[in-house]
Amino acid sequence: MPHLTVVSTSPLRAAALAAALLTAGGLALAQHTGHAAPAVTPTAAKLPLTVLSATIVAVPPGITETSAHLTLKNPGSTAVVLTGASSATFGHVMLMKTTRTGAMTGMKTVPTLTVPARGTLTMGPAGDHLMLMGLKRPLKLGEKITLTLKAKDGRTLNVTATVRKP
């Protein structure tokens, strides 16, 4: 690993500069004895999930919200906790859980969805799903849209979802 020395009259300014320089290379900043250095996370690793299916519900022109349905398989021995998602095609993406109280069905935003260890998380029309908000342009049937899933541990996974009729 290359060695980097940053000299400054301010330890905080030196640490910030070193962090900025190292972040560009995806390296971690080691803490020097006697100086507090901010932690710099290495480039995020890919989530160990397999995408079994991924679709986005087609909507008519003028509608700016839709949903994504995914089936994710986790072959690992540790659960994967999803904390968010994003897409360049949408303003923002929310993790949603379907709730049922008696005969009433509703949805609520949740901070996490979990893909169990050696298990599967199915997000579909009648259950958990991704709510895609702020559509930036009309969708085309058959079009492929990239969604980036984010996990609690900082890892990510790019998923290609196909726009389909409901």
Side-chain angles (χ1 to χ4, degrees):
M1 176 176 233
H3 181 75
L4 172 69
T5 302
V6 177
V7 179
S8 174
T9 56
S10 164
L12 289 176
R13 194 173 297 140
L17 179 58
L21 291 170
L22 291 175
T23 299
L27 302 172
L29 178 63
Q31 191 164 334
H32 180 60
T33 307
H35 299 283
V40 177
T41 305
T43 304
K46 181 180 165 188
L47 284 168
L49 301 174
T50 302
V51 181
L52 302 177
S53 69
T55 61
I56 294 175
V57 178
V59 291
I63 303 298
T64 60
E65 299 174 2
T66 188
S67 60
H69 305 149
L70 312 157
T71 300
L72 303 170
K73 184 174 180 161
N74 179 1
S77 60
T78 305
V80 173
V81 179
L82 301 175
T83 57
S86 62
S87 173
T89 308
F90 297 90
H92 67 283
V93 179
M94 298 184 300
L95 305 178
M96 303 295 289
K97 187 167 268 305
T98 298
T99 59
R100 290 177 183 79
T101 307
M104 299 294 293
T105 300
M107 298 182 299
K108 69 176 184 174
T109 304
V110 292
T112 63
L113 291 174
T114 301
V115 187
R118 295 185 188 88
T120 301
L121 172 63
T122 300
M123 293 185 263
D128 302 341
H129 60 280
L130 300 178
M131 195 72 196
L132 309 172
M133 310 290 289
L135 178 61
K136 296 178 181 179
R137 59 172 178 75
L139 297 173
K140 298 175 191 139
L141 284 177
E143 177 181 8
K144 309 272 188 212
I145 303 288
T146 300
L147 304 169
T148 301
L149 304 178
K150 299 169 189 165
K152 187 175 185 178
D153 63 7
R155 293 181 291 174
T156 62
L157 177 67
N158 286 333
V159 173
T160 302
T162 305
V163 177
R164 302 205 189 278
K165 288 184 180 181

